[in-house]
């Protein structure tokens, strides 16, 4: 005799239907989790805002170095060019040479004029020495002695002028070799040997790589959190994983207001505003001197990020 087992539903026994209390508990947990997330986001927002307020940061920054135009002090034709564009140089290296022949001839002429004056001066001295003993005995006149003395004095003055001319022409001759005033790198070289150069007109530029700095434009409300001497951190866009130490050298005191046309062109920096239909905060340039620049990474005009760690300790 077989007994039939009672009907059973395995699916129902495995997944029991949630009760109203369970659903209410789940809703409460979701609300608590949501509240925790919102509160956490608010706390993180205020924390980040506090950091940004105390440590201003900007990516409107560029790496800079001093650039000097290399201009000869005498004019003439370049007979030898010793550098190439982007070449690294040491202080005292000869950059190029100007044809010295004209200046050498002028120097030789000045030396010849000095030799002639020396001969004339010697003769004038002999005449004076010959006339002076004769004056007490009446064999010559006082007027003749005075003329001899005047001739000596005049020739001595002319001799001093001739010596000054020789020194000047020797200086001009030395200027025919243009040397590097400091160690750096050649930029914007667009000239060849054979070209004629003019005194005082730059031939190319030399980048001074001994000191690098970053010009960072900060909003006017942020500059109160910094001062000369404030420590800073600098990042280059080309090497975002490497930071460099720096110190604020100074904060710009003048920028050209947008739309102003009555200011003289006196070299005031102009910082363009981000928007022109709303009133936005003006930015002022802050100069940060980099303490440990990497000569292989820093380039003139490279994009950078600057972070101010706070005003200096008093």
């Amino acid at each position: 005799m077989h007994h039939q087992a009672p009907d059973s539903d395995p699916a129902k026994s495995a997944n029991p239907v949630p009760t109203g209390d369970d659903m209410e508990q789940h809703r409460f947990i979701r609300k608590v989790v949501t509240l925790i997330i919102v509160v956490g986001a608010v706390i993180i927002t205020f924390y980040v805002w506090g950091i940004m307020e105390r440590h201003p940061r900007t990516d409107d920054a560029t790496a800079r170095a001093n650039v000097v135009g290399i201009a000869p002090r005498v004019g003439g034709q370049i007979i030898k060019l010793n550098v190439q564009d982007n070449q690294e140089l040491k202080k005292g290296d000869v950059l190029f040479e100007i044809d010295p022949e004209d200046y050498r001839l002028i120097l030789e002429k000045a030396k010849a004029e000095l030799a002639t004056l020396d001969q004339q001066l010697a003769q004038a001295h002999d005449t004076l020495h010959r006339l002076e003993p004769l004056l007490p005995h009446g064999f010559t006149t006082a007027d003749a002695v005075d003329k001899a003395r005047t001739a000596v004095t005049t020739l001595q003055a002319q001799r001093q002028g001739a010596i000054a001319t020789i020194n000047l022409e020797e200086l001009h001759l030395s200027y025919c070799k243009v040397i590097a005033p400091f160690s750096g790198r050649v930029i914007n070289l667009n000239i060849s040997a054979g070209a004629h150069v003019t005194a005082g007109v730059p031939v190319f530029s030399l980048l001074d790589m001994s000191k690098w700095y970053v010009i960072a434009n900060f909003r006017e409300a942020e500059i109160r959190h910094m001062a000369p001497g404030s420590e800073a951190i600098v990042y280059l866009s080309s090497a975002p994983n490497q930071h460099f130490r720096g110190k604020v050298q100074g904060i710009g005191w003048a920028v050209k207001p947008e739309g102003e046309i009555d200011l003289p062109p006196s070299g005031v920096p102009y910082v363009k505003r981000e928007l022109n239909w709303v009133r936005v905060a003006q930015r002022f340039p802050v100069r940060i001197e980099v303490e440990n620049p990497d000569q292989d990474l820093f380039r003139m005009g490279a994009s950078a990020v600057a972070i101010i760690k706070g005003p200096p300790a008093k």
Side-chain angles (χ1 to χ4, degrees), residues 213-244:
Y213 55 94
V214 167
I215 297 296
N217 297 317
F218 284 95
R219 290 189 296 271
E220 51 192 328
E222 296 173 330
I223 60 177
R224 69 176 184 271
H225 298 289
M226 62 190 78
S230 296
E231 294 186 5
I233 298 176
V234 172
Y235 296 85
L236 294 177
S237 298
S238 58
N241 296 326
Q242 187 172 355
H243 72 275
F244 303 92

PDB file of all heavy atoms in Angstrom, residues 213-244:
ATOM      1  N   TYR A 213      61.715  80.179 -13.784  1.00  0.00           N
ATOM      2  CA  TYR A 213      60.598  80.595 -12.955  1.00  0.00           C
ATOM      3  C   TYR A 213      59.299  80.301 -13.695  1.00  0.00           C
ATOM      4  O   TYR A 213      59.287  80.006 -14.893  1.00  0.00           O
ATOM      5  CB  TYR A 213      60.700  82.069 -12.564  1.00  0.00           C
ATOM      6  CG  TYR A 213      60.834  83.034 -13.713  1.00  0.00           C
ATOM      7  CD1 TYR A 213      59.717  83.657 -14.257  1.00  0.00           C
ATOM      8  CD2 TYR A 213      62.081  83.343 -14.255  1.00  0.00           C
ATOM      9  CE1 TYR A 213      59.828  84.544 -15.303  1.00  0.00           C
ATOM     10  CE2 TYR A 213      62.211  84.234 -15.304  1.00  0.00           C
ATOM     11  CZ  TYR A 213      61.081  84.831 -15.819  1.00  0.00           C
ATOM     12  OH  TYR A 213      61.195  85.707 -16.871  1.00  0.00           O
ATOM     13  N   VAL A 214      58.216  80.376 -12.966  1.00  0.00           N
ATOM     14  CA  VAL A 214      56.882  80.114 -13.520  1.00  0.00           C
ATOM     15  C   VAL A 214      56.020  81.351 -13.274  1.00  0.00           C
ATOM     16  O   VAL A 214      55.993  81.886 -12.166  1.00  0.00           O
ATOM     17  CB  VAL A 214      56.245  78.870 -12.877  1.00  0.00           C
ATOM     18  CG1 VAL A 214      54.756  78.788 -13.206  1.00  0.00           C
ATOM     19  CG2 VAL A 214      56.956  77.607 -13.344  1.00  0.00           C
ATOM     20  N   ILE A 215      55.368  81.809 -14.327  1.00  0.00           N
ATOM     21  CA  ILE A 215      54.398  82.893 -14.201  1.00  0.00           C
ATOM     22  C   ILE A 215      53.016  82.246 -14.130  1.00  0.00           C
ATOM     23  O   ILE A 215      52.548  81.648 -15.104  1.00  0.00           O
ATOM     24  CB  ILE A 215      54.476  83.872 -15.382  1.00  0.00           C
ATOM     25  CG1 ILE A 215      55.843  84.550 -15.420  1.00  0.00           C
ATOM     26  CG2 ILE A 215      53.369  84.904 -15.287  1.00  0.00           C
ATOM     27  CD1 ILE A 215      56.125  85.423 -14.221  1.00  0.00           C
ATOM     28  N   ALA A 216      52.379  82.343 -12.954  1.00  0.00           N
ATOM     29  CA  ALA A 216      51.070  81.730 -12.718  1.00  0.00           C
ATOM     30  C   ALA A 216      50.044  82.832 -12.488  1.00  0.00           C
ATOM     31  O   ALA A 216      50.267  83.730 -11.665  1.00  0.00           O
ATOM     32  CB  ALA A 216      51.126  80.795 -11.515  1.00  0.00           C
ATOM     33  N   ASN A 217      48.941  82.782 -13.199  1.00  0.00           N
ATOM     34  CA  ASN A 217      47.888  83.789 -13.081  1.00  0.00           C
ATOM     35  C   ASN A 217      46.821  83.296 -12.096  1.00  0.00           C
ATOM     36  O   ASN A 217      46.104  82.327 -12.372  1.00  0.00           O
ATOM     37  CB  ASN A 217      47.258  84.061 -14.453  1.00  0.00           C
ATOM     38  CG  ASN A 217      48.273  84.636 -15.424  1.00  0.00           C
ATOM     39  OD1 ASN A 217      49.062  85.499 -15.087  1.00  0.00           O
ATOM     40  ND2 ASN A 217      48.260  84.143 -16.653  1.00  0.00           N
ATOM     41  N   PHE A 218      46.732  83.966 -10.954  1.00  0.00           N
ATOM     42  CA  PHE A 218      45.765  83.611  -9.920  1.00  0.00           C
ATOM     43  C   PHE A 218      44.666  84.659  -9.854  1.00  0.00           C
ATOM     44  O   PHE A 218      44.898  85.842 -10.121  1.00  0.00           O
ATOM     45  CB  PHE A 218      46.448  83.514  -8.551  1.00  0.00           C
ATOM     46  CG  PHE A 218      47.263  82.261  -8.355  1.00  0.00           C
ATOM     47  CD1 PHE A 218      48.618  82.269  -8.613  1.00  0.00           C
ATOM     48  CD2 PHE A 218      46.671  81.092  -7.922  1.00  0.00           C
ATOM     49  CE1 PHE A 218      49.380  81.129  -8.436  1.00  0.00           C
ATOM     50  CE2 PHE A 218      47.420  79.947  -7.734  1.00  0.00           C
ATOM     51  CZ  PHE A 218      48.777  79.959  -8.000  1.00  0.00           C
ATOM     52  N   ARG A 219      43.461  84.218  -9.455  1.00  0.00           N
ATOM     53  CA  ARG A 219      42.354  85.144  -9.289  1.00  0.00           C
ATOM     54  C   ARG A 219      42.631  86.098  -8.133  1.00  0.00           C
ATOM     55  O   ARG A 219      43.331  85.756  -7.179  1.00  0.00           O
ATOM     56  CB  ARG A 219      41.045  84.381  -9.056  1.00  0.00           C
ATOM     57  CG  ARG A 219      40.542  83.644 -10.288  1.00  0.00           C
ATOM     58  CD  ARG A 219      39.153  83.092 -10.057  1.00  0.00           C
ATOM     59  NE  ARG A 219      39.155  82.086  -9.013  1.00  0.00           N
ATOM     60  CZ  ARG A 219      39.356  80.785  -9.227  1.00  0.00           C
ATOM     61  NH1 ARG A 219      39.577  80.351 -10.458  1.00  0.00           N
ATOM     62  NH2 ARG A 219      39.331  79.944  -8.232  1.00  0.00           N
ATOM     63  N   GLU A 220      42.071  87.285  -8.238  1.00  0.00           N
ATOM     64  CA  GLU A 220      42.365  88.332  -7.256  1.00  0.00           C
ATOM     65  C   GLU A 220      41.947  87.940  -5.845  1.00  0.00           C
ATOM     66  O   GLU A 220      42.540  88.417  -4.872  1.00  0.00           O
ATOM     67  CB  GLU A 220      41.688  89.638  -7.664  1.00  0.00           C
ATOM     68  CG  GLU A 220      40.216  89.510  -7.979  1.00  0.00           C
ATOM     69  CD  GLU A 220      39.676  90.762  -8.657  1.00  0.00           C
ATOM     70  OE1 GLU A 220      40.198  91.850  -8.338  1.00  0.00           O
ATOM     71  OE2 GLU A 220      38.773  90.653  -9.493  1.00  0.00           O
ATOM     72  N   ALA A 221      40.942  87.063  -5.704  1.00  0.00           N
ATOM     73  CA  ALA A 221      40.538  86.630  -4.369  1.00  0.00           C
ATOM     74  C   ALA A 221      41.518  85.617  -3.779  1.00  0.00           C
ATOM     75  O   ALA A 221      41.483  85.360  -2.569  1.00  0.00           O
ATOM     76  CB  ALA A 221      39.140  86.018  -4.420  1.00  0.00           C
ATOM     77  N   GLU A 222      42.383  85.044  -4.609  1.00  0.00           N
ATOM     78  CA  GLU A 222      43.312  84.024  -4.130  1.00  0.00           C
ATOM     79  C   GLU A 222      44.653  84.596  -3.692  1.00  0.00           C
ATOM     80  O   GLU A 222      45.375  83.954  -2.929  1.00  0.00           O
ATOM     81  CB  GLU A 222      43.546  82.979  -5.236  1.00  0.00           C
ATOM     82  CG  GLU A 222      42.303  82.203  -5.615  1.00  0.00           C
ATOM     83  CD  GLU A 222      42.535  81.298  -6.821  1.00  0.00           C
ATOM     84  OE1 GLU A 222      43.379  81.655  -7.669  1.00  0.00           O
ATOM     85  OE2 GLU A 222      41.876  80.249  -6.904  1.00  0.00           O
ATOM     86  N   ILE A 223      44.994  85.789  -4.152  1.00  0.00           N
ATOM     87  CA  ILE A 223      46.328  86.298  -3.865  1.00  0.00           C
ATOM     88  C   ILE A 223      46.491  86.703  -2.405  1.00  0.00           C
ATOM     89  O   ILE A 223      47.614  86.908  -1.944  1.00  0.00           O
ATOM     90  CB  ILE A 223      46.680  87.489  -4.790  1.00  0.00           C
ATOM     91  CG1 ILE A 223      45.701  88.633  -4.611  1.00  0.00           C
ATOM     92  CG2 ILE A 223      46.702  87.040  -6.234  1.00  0.00           C
ATOM     93  CD1 ILE A 223      46.039  89.853  -5.451  1.00  0.00           C
ATOM     94  N   ARG A 224      45.371  86.813  -1.659  1.00  0.00           N
ATOM     95  CA  ARG A 224      45.511  87.141  -0.231  1.00  0.00           C
ATOM     96  C   ARG A 224      46.078  85.963   0.551  1.00  0.00           C
ATOM     97  O   ARG A 224      46.483  86.124   1.708  1.00  0.00           O
ATOM     98  CB  ARG A 224      44.173  87.562   0.345  1.00  0.00           C
ATOM     99  CG  ARG A 224      43.137  86.450   0.460  1.00  0.00           C
ATOM    100  CD  ARG A 224      41.880  86.963   1.147  1.00  0.00           C
ATOM    101  NE  ARG A 224      40.896  85.920   1.373  1.00  0.00           N
ATOM    102  CZ  ARG A 224      39.959  85.574   0.519  1.00  0.00           C
ATOM    103  NH1 ARG A 224      39.875  86.219  -0.639  1.00  0.00           N
ATOM    104  NH2 ARG A 224      39.096  84.612   0.803  1.00  0.00           N
ATOM    105  N   HIS A 225      46.065  84.771  -0.044  1.00  0.00           N
ATOM    106  CA  HIS A 225      46.592  83.582   0.628  1.00  0.00           C
ATOM    107  C   HIS A 225      48.061  83.339   0.294  1.00  0.00           C
ATOM    108  O   HIS A 225      48.575  82.254   0.584  1.00  0.00           O
ATOM    109  CB  HIS A 225      45.770  82.352   0.231  1.00  0.00           C
ATOM    110  CG  HIS A 225      44.331  82.444   0.628  1.00  0.00           C
ATOM    111  ND1 HIS A 225      43.901  82.364   1.940  1.00  0.00           N
ATOM    112  CD2 HIS A 225      43.200  82.636  -0.113  1.00  0.00           C
ATOM    113  CE1 HIS A 225      42.587  82.490   1.987  1.00  0.00           C
ATOM    114  NE2 HIS A 225      42.135  82.650   0.754  1.00  0.00           N
ATOM    115  N   MET A 226      48.720  84.316  -0.315  1.00  0.00           N
ATOM    116  CA  MET A 226      50.122  84.133  -0.673  1.00  0.00           C
ATOM    117  C   MET A 226      50.849  85.451  -0.461  1.00  0.00           C
ATOM    118  O   MET A 226      50.237  86.510  -0.328  1.00  0.00           O
ATOM    119  CB  MET A 226      50.260  83.652  -2.121  1.00  0.00           C
ATOM    120  CG  MET A 226      49.716  84.628  -3.145  1.00  0.00           C
ATOM    121  SD  MET A 226      49.622  83.947  -4.811  1.00  0.00           S
ATOM    122  CE  MET A 226      48.136  82.942  -4.676  1.00  0.00           C
ATOM    123  N   ALA A 227      52.162  85.364  -0.419  1.00  0.00           N
ATOM    124  CA  ALA A 227      52.998  86.542  -0.236  1.00  0.00           C
ATOM    125  C   ALA A 227      54.395  86.186  -0.716  1.00  0.00           C
ATOM    126  O   ALA A 227      54.720  84.996  -0.885  1.00  0.00           O
ATOM    127  CB  ALA A 227      53.018  86.969   1.230  1.00  0.00           C
ATOM    128  N   PRO A 228      55.231  87.193  -0.986  1.00  0.00           N
ATOM    129  CA  PRO A 228      56.613  86.877  -1.358  1.00  0.00           C
ATOM    130  C   PRO A 228      57.268  85.983  -0.312  1.00  0.00           C
ATOM    131  O   PRO A 228      57.231  86.261   0.885  1.00  0.00           O
ATOM    132  CB  PRO A 228      57.278  88.265  -1.411  1.00  0.00           C
ATOM    133  CG  PRO A 228      56.163  89.190  -1.764  1.00  0.00           C
ATOM    134  CD  PRO A 228      54.958  88.642  -1.065  1.00  0.00           C
ATOM    135  N   GLY A 229      57.848  84.900  -0.772  1.00  0.00           N
ATOM    136  CA  GLY A 229      58.444  83.917   0.126  1.00  0.00           C
ATOM    137  C   GLY A 229      57.581  82.695   0.345  1.00  0.00           C
ATOM    138  O   GLY A 229      58.046  81.701   0.934  1.00  0.00           O
ATOM    139  N   SER A 230      56.314  82.731  -0.085  1.00  0.00           N
ATOM    140  CA  SER A 230      55.442  81.570   0.081  1.00  0.00           C
ATOM    141  C   SER A 230      55.994  80.378  -0.692  1.00  0.00           C
ATOM    142  O   SER A 230      56.450  80.513  -1.822  1.00  0.00           O
ATOM    143  CB  SER A 230      54.025  81.883  -0.413  1.00  0.00           C
ATOM    144  OG  SER A 230      53.428  82.895   0.362  1.00  0.00           O
ATOM    145  N   GLU A 231      55.925  79.215  -0.064  1.00  0.00           N
ATOM    146  CA  GLU A 231      56.362  77.993  -0.738  1.00  0.00           C
ATOM    147  C   GLU A 231      55.322  77.575  -1.770  1.00  0.00           C
ATOM    148  O   GLU A 231      54.127  77.773  -1.588  1.00  0.00           O
ATOM    149  CB  GLU A 231      56.592  76.872   0.270  1.00  0.00           C
ATOM    150  CG  GLU A 231      57.744  77.144   1.224  1.00  0.00           C
ATOM    151  CD  GLU A 231      58.037  75.943   2.111  1.00  0.00           C
ATOM    152  OE1 GLU A 231      57.401  74.887   1.903  1.00  0.00           O
ATOM    153  OE2 GLU A 231      58.887  76.064   3.005  1.00  0.00           O
ATOM    154  N   ALA A 232      55.810  76.988  -2.843  1.00  0.00           N
ATOM    155  CA  ALA A 232      54.921  76.571  -3.932  1.00  0.00           C
ATOM    156  C   ALA A 232      55.404  75.251  -4.499  1.00  0.00           C
ATOM    157  O   ALA A 232      56.557  74.845  -4.307  1.00  0.00           O
ATOM    158  CB  ALA A 232      54.882  77.637  -5.024  1.00  0.00           C
ATOM    159  N   ILE A 233      54.493  74.588  -5.176  1.00  0.00           N
ATOM    160  CA  ILE A 233      54.802  73.354  -5.902  1.00  0.00           C
ATOM    161  C   ILE A 233      54.429  73.582  -7.355  1.00  0.00           C
ATOM    162  O   ILE A 233      53.368  74.137  -7.656  1.00  0.00           O
ATOM    163  CB  ILE A 233      54.023  72.155  -5.331  1.00  0.00           C
ATOM    164  CG1 ILE A 233      54.417  71.906  -3.871  1.00  0.00           C
ATOM    165  CG2 ILE A 233      54.293  70.901  -6.160  1.00  0.00           C
ATOM    166  CD1 ILE A 233      53.621  70.794  -3.207  1.00  0.00           C
ATOM    167  N   VAL A 234      55.298  73.163  -8.248  1.00  0.00           N
ATOM    168  CA  VAL A 234      55.102  73.375  -9.678  1.00  0.00           C
ATOM    169  C   VAL A 234      55.145  72.034 -10.390  1.00  0.00           C
ATOM    170  O   VAL A 234      56.016  71.196 -10.105  1.00  0.00           O
ATOM    171  CB  VAL A 234      56.191  74.318 -10.241  1.00  0.00           C
ATOM    172  CG1 VAL A 234      56.102  74.387 -11.750  1.00  0.00           C
ATOM    173  CG2 VAL A 234      56.046  75.700  -9.633  1.00  0.00           C
ATOM    174  N   TYR A 235      54.194  71.834 -11.291  1.00  0.00           N
ATOM    175  CA  TYR A 235      54.170  70.669 -12.161  1.00  0.00           C
ATOM    176  C   TYR A 235      54.224  71.151 -13.610  1.00  0.00           C
ATOM    177  O   TYR A 235      53.660  72.183 -13.943  1.00  0.00           O
ATOM    178  CB  TYR A 235      52.886  69.849 -11.967  1.00  0.00           C
ATOM    179  CG  TYR A 235      52.722  69.232 -10.601  1.00  0.00           C
ATOM    180  CD1 TYR A 235      52.161  69.964  -9.555  1.00  0.00           C
ATOM    181  CD2 TYR A 235      53.116  67.927 -10.351  1.00  0.00           C
ATOM    182  CE1 TYR A 235      51.997  69.411  -8.302  1.00  0.00           C
ATOM    183  CE2 TYR A 235      52.945  67.359  -9.097  1.00  0.00           C
ATOM    184  CZ  TYR A 235      52.393  68.103  -8.079  1.00  0.00           C
ATOM    185  OH  TYR A 235      52.236  67.549  -6.825  1.00  0.00           O
ATOM    186  N   LEU A 236      54.898  70.400 -14.442  1.00  0.00           N
ATOM    187  CA  LEU A 236      54.894  70.672 -15.873  1.00  0.00           C
ATOM    188  C   LEU A 236      53.917  69.719 -16.556  1.00  0.00           C
ATOM    189  O   LEU A 236      53.820  68.541 -16.182  1.00  0.00           O
ATOM    190  CB  LEU A 236      56.288  70.492 -16.467  1.00  0.00           C
ATOM    191  CG  LEU A 236      57.362  71.483 -16.009  1.00  0.00           C
ATOM    192  CD1 LEU A 236      58.701  71.125 -16.631  1.00  0.00           C
ATOM    193  CD2 LEU A 236      56.978  72.905 -16.375  1.00  0.00           C
ATOM    194  N   SER A 237      53.209  70.218 -17.555  1.00  0.00           N
ATOM    195  CA  SER A 237      52.277  69.354 -18.284  1.00  0.00           C
ATOM    196  C   SER A 237      53.000  68.219 -18.989  1.00  0.00           C
ATOM    197  O   SER A 237      52.431  67.148 -19.200  1.00  0.00           O
ATOM    198  CB  SER A 237      51.492  70.192 -19.296  1.00  0.00           C
ATOM    199  OG  SER A 237      50.718  71.183 -18.640  1.00  0.00           O
ATOM    200  N   SER A 238      54.255  68.435 -19.347  1.00  0.00           N
ATOM    201  CA  SER A 238      55.023  67.390 -20.020  1.00  0.00           C
ATOM    202  C   SER A 238      55.504  66.317 -19.060  1.00  0.00           C
ATOM    203  O   SER A 238      55.913  65.242 -19.500  1.00  0.00           O
ATOM    204  CB  SER A 238      56.235  68.009 -20.727  1.00  0.00           C
ATOM    205  OG  SER A 238      57.061  68.703 -19.794  1.00  0.00           O
ATOM    206  N   ALA A 239      55.485  66.597 -17.753  1.00  0.00           N
ATOM    207  CA  ALA A 239      55.922  65.616 -16.756  1.00  0.00           C
ATOM    208  C   ALA A 239      55.031  65.747 -15.525  1.00  0.00           C
ATOM    209  O   ALA A 239      55.463  66.248 -14.484  1.00  0.00           O
ATOM    210  CB  ALA A 239      57.389  65.821 -16.400  1.00  0.00           C
ATOM    211  N   PRO A 240      53.761  65.323 -15.619  1.00  0.00           N
ATOM    212  CA  PRO A 240      52.819  65.541 -14.519  1.00  0.00           C
ATOM    213  C   PRO A 240      53.145  64.763 -13.254  1.00  0.00           C
ATOM    214  O   PRO A 240      52.624  65.094 -12.185  1.00  0.00           O
ATOM    215  CB  PRO A 240      51.479  65.088 -15.121  1.00  0.00           C
ATOM    216  CG  PRO A 240      51.852  64.137 -16.210  1.00  0.00           C
ATOM    217  CD  PRO A 240      53.145  64.637 -16.766  1.00  0.00           C
ATOM    218  N   ASN A 241      53.968  63.735 -13.352  1.00  0.00           N
ATOM    219  CA  ASN A 241      54.288  62.921 -12.180  1.00  0.00           C
ATOM    220  C   ASN A 241      55.496  63.450 -11.408  1.00  0.00           C
ATOM    221  O   ASN A 241      55.887  62.864 -10.407  1.00  0.00           O
ATOM    222  CB  ASN A 241      54.552  61.473 -12.600  1.00  0.00           C
ATOM    223  CG  ASN A 241      53.325  60.813 -13.196  1.00  0.00           C
ATOM    224  OD1 ASN A 241      52.201  61.095 -12.781  1.00  0.00           O
ATOM    225  ND2 ASN A 241      53.524  59.953 -14.181  1.00  0.00           N
ATOM    226  N   GLN A 242      56.090  64.519 -11.869  1.00  0.00           N
ATOM    227  CA  GLN A 242      57.270  65.070 -11.219  1.00  0.00           C
ATOM    228  C   GLN A 242      56.982  66.494 -10.779  1.00  0.00           C
ATOM    229  O   GLN A 242      56.527  67.310 -11.570  1.00  0.00           O
ATOM    230  CB  GLN A 242      58.469  65.047 -12.181  1.00  0.00           C
ATOM    231  CG  GLN A 242      59.789  65.439 -11.540  1.00  0.00           C
ATOM    232  CD  GLN A 242      60.959  65.219 -12.491  1.00  0.00           C
ATOM    233  OE1 GLN A 242      60.781  64.688 -13.589  1.00  0.00           O
ATOM    234  NE2 GLN A 242      62.145  65.629 -12.062  1.00  0.00           N
ATOM    235  N   HIS A 243      57.205  66.770  -9.503  1.00  0.00           N
ATOM    236  CA  HIS A 243      56.944  68.117  -9.001  1.00  0.00           C
ATOM    237  C   HIS A 243      58.254  68.802  -8.649  1.00  0.00           C
ATOM    238  O   HIS A 243      59.262  68.161  -8.372  1.00  0.00           O
ATOM    239  CB  HIS A 243      56.006  68.084  -7.794  1.00  0.00           C
ATOM    240  CG  HIS A 243      56.645  67.545  -6.540  1.00  0.00           C
ATOM    241  ND1 HIS A 243      56.714  66.194  -6.263  1.00  0.00           N
ATOM    242  CD2 HIS A 243      57.254  68.188  -5.505  1.00  0.00           C
ATOM    243  CE1 HIS A 243      57.331  66.014  -5.119  1.00  0.00           C
ATOM    244  NE2 HIS A 243      57.675  67.205  -4.622  1.00  0.00           N
ATOM    245  N   PHE A 244      58.200  70.135  -8.643  1.00  0.00           N
ATOM    246  CA  PHE A 244      59.376  70.948  -8.387  1.00  0.00           C
ATOM    247  C   PHE A 244      59.039  71.971  -7.303  1.00  0.00           C
ATOM    248  O   PHE A 244      57.933  72.499  -7.269  1.00  0.00           O
ATOM    249  CB  PHE A 244      59.831  71.664  -9.665  1.00  0.00           C
ATOM    250  CG  PHE A 244      60.124  70.736 -10.805  1.00  0.00           C
ATOM    251  CD1 PHE A 244      59.135  70.425 -11.719  1.00  0.00           C
ATOM    252  CD2 PHE A 244      61.375  70.162 -10.955  1.00  0.00           C
ATOM    253  CE1 PHE A 244      59.389  69.556 -12.768  1.00  0.00           C
ATOM    254  CE2 PHE A 244      61.642  69.301 -11.994  1.00  0.00           C
ATOM    255  CZ  PHE A 244      60.653  68.992 -12.900  1.00  0.00           C
TER     256      PHE A 244
END
